[in-house]
């Protein structure tokens, strides 16, 4: 008789799909890399430094919190890397690096770890970080640098290297030394405050000023499309956000095309595309139900446009996502799907 | 595909001929689907558990030392929801009340038989009859006497399902040829090789239930079976039977899902197919009825898929019921030290702790995996990230993510009241698709048990 080894006992199902949380997160990081590359190409080493600083700051914060609470390190699930990169992509390229480090700390500490870490955070951590620095450093976060400056690879944008707790250095002399005339205003602020529209092709290709990762709407669209094509992200939320923005912007534009932007300008400018593809889709803060995610996405698109058109800020995508995150549990509770075989009208063959 | 479903309701273009949601696991059917069914030899010892179906165990009618002929009844039904048992081999009764292990780990009394080595094992115990002159009630009795239970794995006595419950009528009979579980191909081969028996059994079931029409539903990864059956239907002029292909999607073979796909109708929650005028039978069951009832025989063997990476001769085998598992493993060239053995399919089957069990009526498949090639790795559970994969996989439109979170804090009552806990039929789609490795199905199963226990102790 052959000696028999014990058999493994598990409960069904015995089959497992191979995609795991770290794999999902890693693929999101891959999808963000081309956007990072474009940001670095456009804004130079300052953008590179910004991405590195926020990512390291976010990772260090998560490590610090898990170490304090005596838990195992959670860096290997890659979710904090996404937070770090996304945060950098929403900040101006010349944002002082020490402020970026603060933003990273706040994003992960306040936005994620205090709620209990991965899966527990109601808000998108990157946006929590950005909302914090928007309030704390309002000047720096609205100071923009034009792209493709000749010296962008040889020297930092002066404001990047501002010393902690000091007013950021003025970068205008550095910029003026390289180009004759420039406007660093973003397409959104140009439109809001000066009624100047930017061409759709410039918006698509990213030939404009703006936060480091949101200038090229086309690239963001392609990178998001990669995740959708690989089955890692659902197309529903990005579609709903864009649809919501179009549906809200179009009536205003039809009413008065002189003061309201074209729907295409609305969806391709500012952070809307980045928000639709990478912020609104952050799984933790989104509703679970099939109807809920459509309501959630449409609401983000709607709110973004309303804030842009009628709010004090040129950009609204960030607050729209945060507000929608807050509403997600409510949306979930009112959109529970009809369970199979319940709530049916009388069917044929059924006895009275 | 017609614009209208069977009940005459308009089917809208985007309502494909399938249920919503579900998953598409790798099916691994190529291992066995093209191999003709073979007969397995008789083992020296046969172990026949008395409890092989849902319902009351059978009562032995033989005694130790007695000789029995293959096909002879050895235990009678223990009630209406029960099925008799027949001798799978010609031999001598070696024991009547021996306790043996069952796949789920429990012990149950069994009849042991020592096989006669010299016997050619032909079935001589039969009473052929003309089914055309038999009444519906005679046929129900004949089906029960044959000891037929659902061979799709549920092992529910078939004759109970065939008669419509009081106050309900059965208008449509559905033959379930979906076989959506990965690896399993025994129904596929049955449909190809026993087409006549299947159609004969289906017509007997129609007589019993009073159904006017029948639909054979087959997943579209078995188009050869669809074509074979359609040809046979045409050749025999069976206009009241149609054969329809449905999309390949797990769990298409769950009867509620199949009815939704074929008829566009939902069985009410907590209800049975008869509530919408239907009865569903596995094609293997019908093929057995088509063979056994006219011959007046009992169910003594079944077709089992033996497959998996730990088997060198995978295939579909006719195995005498009661054949010890270790004998089966030896015959198919299974590896000596498997890491895991699953009875049934990998989605809903049972992994067993011991090889000292016997083949019973409810075993559709035997899957063997080497230790280094288990069907799933055992990775650590991560927090739920709310990715909605489970919600989009659940064929019952439940919210497994929410159910899992409530199960963690033992809020079972809330799971039942607000999130339709009891509708879950444990198909495993949620656990299978969860990227965080959360055992959702298992948590839901535990919650259902606790609810049932509470109801039992209260009532």
């Amino acid at each position: 008789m052959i000696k028999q080894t014990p058999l493994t006992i598990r409960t069904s199902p015995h089959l497992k799909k191979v995609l795991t949380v770290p794999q999902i997160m890693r693929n999101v990081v891959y999808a963000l890399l081309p956007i990072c590359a474009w940001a670095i190409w456009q804004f130079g080493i300052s953008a590179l430094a910004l991405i590195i600083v926020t990512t390291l700051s976010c990772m260090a914060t998560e490590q610090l919190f898990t170490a304090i609470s005596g838990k195992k390190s959670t860096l290997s699930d890659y979710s904090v890397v996404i937070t770090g990169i996304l945060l950098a992509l929403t900040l101006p390229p010349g944002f002082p690096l020490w402020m970026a480090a603060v933003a990273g700390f706040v994003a992960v500490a306040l936005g994620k770890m205090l709620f209990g870490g991965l899966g527990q955070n109601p808000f998108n951590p990157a946006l929590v970080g950005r909302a914090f620095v928007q309030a704390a450093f309002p000047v720096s976060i609205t100071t923009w640098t034009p792209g493709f400056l000749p010296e962008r690879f040889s020297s930092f944008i002066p404001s990047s290297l501002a010393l902690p707790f000091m007013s950021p250095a003025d970068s205008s002399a550095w910029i003026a030394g390289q180009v004759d005339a420039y406007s660093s205003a973003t397409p959104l602020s140009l439109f809001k405050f000066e009624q100047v529209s930017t061409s759709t092709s410039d918006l698509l290709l990213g030939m404009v000023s703006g936060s480091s990762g949101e200038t090229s709407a086309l690239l963001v669209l392609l990178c998001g499309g990669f995740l959708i094509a690989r089955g890692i992200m659902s197309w529903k939320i990005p579609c709903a956000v864009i649809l919501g923005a179009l549906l809200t912007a179009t009536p205003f534009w039809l009413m008065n095309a002189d003061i309201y932007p074209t729907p295409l300008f609305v969806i391709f400018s500012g952070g809307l595309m980045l928000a639709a593809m990478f912020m609104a889709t952050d799984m933790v803060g989104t509703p679970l139900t099939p109807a809920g995610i459509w309501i959630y996405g449409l609401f983000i698109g709607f709110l973004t446009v309303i804030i842009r058109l009628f709010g004090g800020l040129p950009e609204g995508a960030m607050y729209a996502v945060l507000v929608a995150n807050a509403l997600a549990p409510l949306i979930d509770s009112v959109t529970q799907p009809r369970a199979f075989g319940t709530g049916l009208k009388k069917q044929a063959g059924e006895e009275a | 595909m017609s614009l209208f479903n069977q009940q005459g309701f308009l089917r809208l273009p985007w309502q494909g001929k399938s249920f919503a949601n579900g998953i598409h696991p790798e099916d691994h059917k190529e291992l066995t689907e093209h191999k003709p069914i073979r007969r397995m030899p008789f083992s020296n010892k046969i172990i026949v558990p008395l409890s092989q179906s849902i319902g009351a165990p059978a009562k032995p009618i033989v005694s130790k030392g007695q000789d029995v002929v293959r096909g002879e009844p050895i235990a009678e039904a223990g009630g209406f929801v029960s099925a008799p048992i027949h001798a799978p081999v010609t031999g001598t009764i070696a024991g009547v009340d021996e306790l043996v292990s069952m796949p789920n780990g429990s012990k149950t009394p069994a009849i042991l038989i020592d096989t006669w080595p010299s016997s050619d094992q032909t079935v001589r115990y039969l009473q052929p009859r003309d089914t055309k002159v038999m009444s519906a009630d005679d046929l129900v009795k004949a089906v029960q006497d044959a000891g037929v239970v659902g061979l799709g794995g549920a092992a529910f006595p078939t004759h109970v399902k065939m008669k419509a419950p009081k106050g309900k009528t059965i208008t449509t009979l559905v033959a379930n040829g979906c076989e959506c579980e990965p690896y399993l191909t025994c129904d596929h081969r049955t449909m190809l090789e026993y087409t006549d028996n299947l159609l004969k059994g289906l017509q007997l079931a129609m007589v019993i239930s009073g159904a006017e029409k029948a639909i054979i539903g087959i997943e579209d990864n078995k188009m050869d079976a669809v074509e074979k059956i359609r040809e046979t239907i045409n050749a025999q002029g069976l206009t009241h039977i149609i054969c329809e292909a449905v999309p390949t999607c797990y769990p298409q073979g769950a009867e509620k899902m199949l009815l939704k796909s074929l008829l566009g109708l939902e069985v009410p929650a907590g209800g049975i197919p008869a509530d919408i005028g239907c009865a569903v039978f596995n094609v293997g069951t019908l093929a057995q009825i088509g063979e056994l009832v006219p011959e007046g025989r009992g169910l003594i063997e079944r077709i089992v898929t033996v497959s998996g990476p730990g088997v060198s001769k995978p295939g579909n085998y006719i195995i005498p019921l009661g054949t010890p598992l270790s004998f089966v493993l030896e015959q198919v060239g299974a590896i000596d030290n498997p890491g895991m053995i699953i009875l049934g399919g990998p989605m809903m089957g049972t992994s067993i702790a011991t090889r000292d069990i016997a083949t019973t009526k409810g075993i559709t498949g035997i899957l063997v995996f080497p230790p280094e090639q288990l069907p799933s790795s055992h990775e650590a559970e991560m927090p739920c990230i709310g990715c909605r994969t489970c919600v989009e996989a659940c064929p019952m439109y439940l919210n497994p993510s929410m159910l899992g979170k409530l199960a963690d804090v033992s809020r079972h009552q809330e799971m039942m009241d607000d999130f339709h806990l009891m509708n879950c039929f444990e198909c495993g789609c949620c656990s299978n698709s969860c990227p965080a490795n959360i055992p959702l199905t298992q948590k839901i199963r535990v919650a259902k048990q606790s609810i049932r226990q509470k109801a039992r102790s209260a009532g």
Side-chain angles (χ1 to χ4, degrees):
Chain A
M1 181 92 193
I2 306 155
K3 194 182 165 286
Q4 292 186 341
T5 50
L7 292 162
T8 308
I9 306 292
R10 282 178 203 157
T11 58
S12 63
H14 304 286
L15 275 189
K16 197 87 192 74
K17 206 173 79 170
V18 279
L19 202 63
T20 62
V21 170
Q23 278 170 326
I24 292 177
M25 298 293 177
R26 213 160 53 220
N27 273 284
V28 177
V29 173
Y30 295 154
L32 288 170
L33 289 180
I35 304 175
C36 293
W38 177 260
I40 295 165
W41 172 246
Q42 188 175 10
F43 297 111
I45 49 173
S46 287
L48 176 65
L50 186 65
I51 294 166
I52 293 173
V53 166
T54 54
T55 308
L56 287 180
S57 157
C58 286
M59 289 170 72
T61 309
E62 179 149 316
Q63 185 64 27
L64 178 73
F65 272 76
T66 46
I68 288 174
S69 56
K71 288 183 190 141
K72 245 177 69 196
S73 167
T74 49
L75 294 183
S76 58
D77 66 31
Y78 284 88
S79 64
V80 74
V81 180
I82 300 178
T83 301
I85 296 176
L86 275 180
L87 176 60
L89 296 181
T90 62
L91 296 173
F95 196 64
L97 295 176
W98 74 270
M99 293 181 185
V102 172
F105 174 80
V106 172
V108 174
L110 206 59
K112 185 175 179 186
M113 299 316 282
L114 287 184
F115 288 105
L118 180 66
Q120 307 291 319
N121 48 306
F123 299 104
N124 184 321
L127 291 181
V128 170
R130 190 182 194 279
F132 174 79
V133 287
Q134 174 106 47
F137 314 114
V139 177
S140 294
I141 206 153
T142 47
T143 306
W144 310 97
T145 314
F148 308 110
L149 293 174
E151 288 172 29
R152 64 189 190 278
F153 290 115
S154 55
S155 60
F156 283 95
I157 301 168
S159 55
S160 290
L161 299 175
L163 290 172
F165 310 111
M166 304 290 281
S167 290
D170 188 4
S171 302
S172 51
W174 180 76
I175 299 168
Q178 301 176 65
V179 283
D180 295 338
Y182 73 93
S183 163
S184 60
T186 65
L188 276 174
S189 45
L190 277 176
F191 191 89
K192 188 164 189 84
F193 304 120
E194 297 166 42
Q195 304 290 306
V196 178
S197 199
T198 312
S199 82
T200 307
S201 64
D202 280 355
L203 291 172
L204 277 174
L205 296 176
M207 300 298 166
V208 293
S209 291
S211 296
S212 39
E214 62 184 37
T215 57
S216 174
L218 185 66
L219 188 64
V220 176
L221 200 62
L222 287 176
C223 290
F226 160 81
L227 287 181
I228 292 170
R230 297 212 45 186
I232 286 158
M233 187 167 88
S234 156
W235 54 273
K236 289 173 188 163
I237 289 178
C239 261
V241 173
I242 293 168
L243 191 67
L246 284 177
L247 287 178
T248 315
T250 308
F252 290 110
W253 174 67
L254 289 176
M255 270 191 304
N256 192 340
D258 292 335
I259 59 167
Y260 294 116
T262 67
L264 280 185
F265 177 83
V266 168
I267 60 167
F268 291 135
S269 61
L272 183 68
M273 201 55 80
L274 194 69
M277 285 291 177
F278 290 100
M279 303 286 188
T281 51
D282 177 11
M283 293 156 174
V284 182
T286 55
L288 280 163
T289 61
I293 55 171
W294 281 102
I295 295 173
Y296 166 87
L298 289 169
F299 178 72
I300 290 175
F302 164 80
L303 198 59
T304 304
V305 175
I306 295 299
I307 294 174
R308 282 187 187 177
L309 297 185
F310 304 106
L313 292 168
E315 173 63 293
M318 170 182 76
Y319 289 111
V321 173
L322 286 174
V323 172
N325 281 161
L327 288 176
L330 179 68
I331 296 174
D332 254 344
S333 69
V334 297
T335 56
Q336 280 304 318
R338 175 189 70 83
F340 189 95
T342 62
L344 296 166
K345 287 190 196 130
K346 206 123 206 96
Q347 293 179 328
E350 203 175 332
E351 296 294 314
Chain B
M1 187 175 132
S2 78
L3 194 62
F4 291 89
N5 69 23
Q6 292 299 311
Q7 249 66 19
F9 293 125
L10 182 68
R11 191 189 296 278
L12 297 167
W14 59 86
Q15 295 173 324
K17 221 174 170 61
S18 187
F19 65 96
N21 299 352
I23 55 170
H24 296 92
E26 279 179 48
D27 67 11
H28 303 283
K29 290 186 193 262
E30 70 288 344
L31 290 169
T32 52
E33 67 185 332
H34 299 299
K35 294 191 179 154
I37 298 169
R38 280 165 214 276
R39 183 171 286 279
M40 189 160 279
F42 295 86
S43 68
N44 296 332
K45 287 204 183 303
I46 292 287
I47 307 160
V48 186
L50 290 168
S51 191
Q52 294 202 34
S53 64
I54 296 174
K59 290 186 210 132
I61 52 171
V62 288
S63 51
K64 193 172 170 181
Q66 185 182 334
D67 294 338
V68 287
V69 172
R70 180 159 144 89
E72 182 182 344
I74 52 173
E76 60 183 13
F80 179 62
V81 187
S82 181
I85 294 171
H86 304 76
V89 291
T90 296
T92 308
I93 303 290
V96 177
D97 254 339
E98 311 284 328
L99 282 183
V100 297
S101 303
M102 291 297 278
N104 63 8
S106 65
K107 294 262 185 186
T108 187
I111 298 174
L112 307 188
I113 308 172
D114 286 331
T115 312
W116 284 8
S118 56
S119 167
D120 65 355
Q121 299 292 352
T122 327
V123 181
R124 296 200 179 80
Y125 199 96
L126 35 84
Q127 301 154 298
R129 49 196 162 192
D130 184 5
T131 52
K132 290 203 181 70
V133 299
M134 290 172 78
S135 70
D137 287 336
D138 289 346
L139 286 170
V140 172
K141 183 79 176 46
V143 170
Q144 183 178 18
D145 287 347
V148 179
V149 301
L151 298 179
F156 187 77
T158 303
H159 64 278
V160 183
K161 268 169 84 180
M162 285 191 153
K163 284 291 259 183
K166 259 207 170 70
K168 298 194 167 101
T169 42
I170 291 173
T171 55
T172 310
L173 219 94
V174 173
N176 186 346
C178 287
E179 196 163 48
C180 56
E181 277 267 11
Y183 290 100
L184 302 189
T185 56
C186 53
D187 287 351
H188 185 184
R189 293 310 306 181
T190 302
M191 290 188 281
L192 286 173
E193 297 183 41
Y194 294 93
T195 321
D196 287 339
N197 284 350
L198 163 60
L199 291 173
K200 220 181 283 169
L202 185 55
Q203 291 173 85
L204 289 175
M206 288 176 79
V207 172
I208 294 172
S209 61
E212 293 131 29
K213 58 185 172 197
I215 311 173
I216 303 168
I218 303 174
E219 273 189 326
D220 58 11
N221 59 354
K222 300 180 256 295
M223 286 314 285
D224 50 348
V226 174
E227 277 154 31
K228 175 86 192 287
I229 289 173
R230 279 184 181 157
E231 276 166 27
T232 318
I233 289 173
N234 285 340
Q236 300 184 2
L238 305 171
T239 48
H240 52 316
I241 300 178
I242 54 169
C243 179
E244 292 244 29
V246 289
T248 301
C249 179
Y250 180 87
Q252 188 71 266
E255 60 181 17
K256 290 184 178 184
M257 302 299 113
L258 182 59
L259 288 171
K260 173 85 177 176
S261 299
L262 288 173
L263 308 172
L265 297 178
E266 287 182 18
V267 177
I272 56 170
D275 293 332
I276 55 168
C278 297
V280 184
F281 299 98
N282 169 262
V283 287
T285 314
L286 293 172
Q288 284 284 9
I289 290 172
E291 181 179 357
L292 300 177
V293 171
E295 289 184 3
R297 279 174 47 201
L299 183 73
I300 51 173
E301 58 196 14
R302 67 157 297 153
I303 301 166
V304 179
T305 304
V306 190
S307 186
V311 172
S312 64
K313 288 185 278 182
N316 291 291
Y317 296 91
I318 298 176
I319 301 181
L321 296 169
T323 303
L325 182 68
S326 46
F327 180 81
V328 174
L329 294 178
E330 207 175 289
Q331 293 294 318
V332 298
I335 52 169
D336 285 338
N337 281 308
M340 195 172 192
I341 299 176
I342 296 170
L343 298 186
M347 290 300 295
M348 292 184 80
T350 321
S351 62
I352 50 169
T354 166
R355 275 152 275 199
D356 298 328
I357 59 164
T359 343
T360 54
K361 295 177 181 179
I363 292 178
T364 50
I366 299 169
L367 307 179
V368 183
F369 296 90
E372 66 283 357
Q373 247 180 301
L374 297 188
S376 66
S377 54
H378 211 53
E379 282 171 66
E381 186 180 331
M382 292 190 69
C384 170
I385 56 168
C387 66
R388 299 187 304 281
T389 324
C390 58
V391 179
E392 282 165 14
C394 180
M396 297 304 279
Y397 317 146
L398 305 180
N399 188 338
S401 165
M402 193 52 132
L403 287 168
K405 283 174 188 161
L406 290 171
D408 285 341
V409 288
S410 296
R411 281 152 72 176
H412 297 154
Q413 196 62 38
E414 196 177 335
M415 292 166 75
M416 187 168 80
D417 297 344
D418 301 342
F419 295 96
H420 306 280
L421 170 69
M422 298 319 254
N423 285 20
C424 170
F425 64 89
E426 303 170 22
C427 64
C429 287
C430 51
S431 283
N432 171 277
S433 58
C434 178
N437 285 309
I438 301 171
L440 292 164
T441 315
Q442 293 85 330
K443 290 183 184 194
I444 290 170
R445 199 173 283 151
V446 170
K448 281 169 74 178
Q449 273 159 4
S450 113
I451 290 276
R452 285 205 197 98
Q453 229 148 38
K454 216 178 283 170
R456 224 173 288 140
S457 57

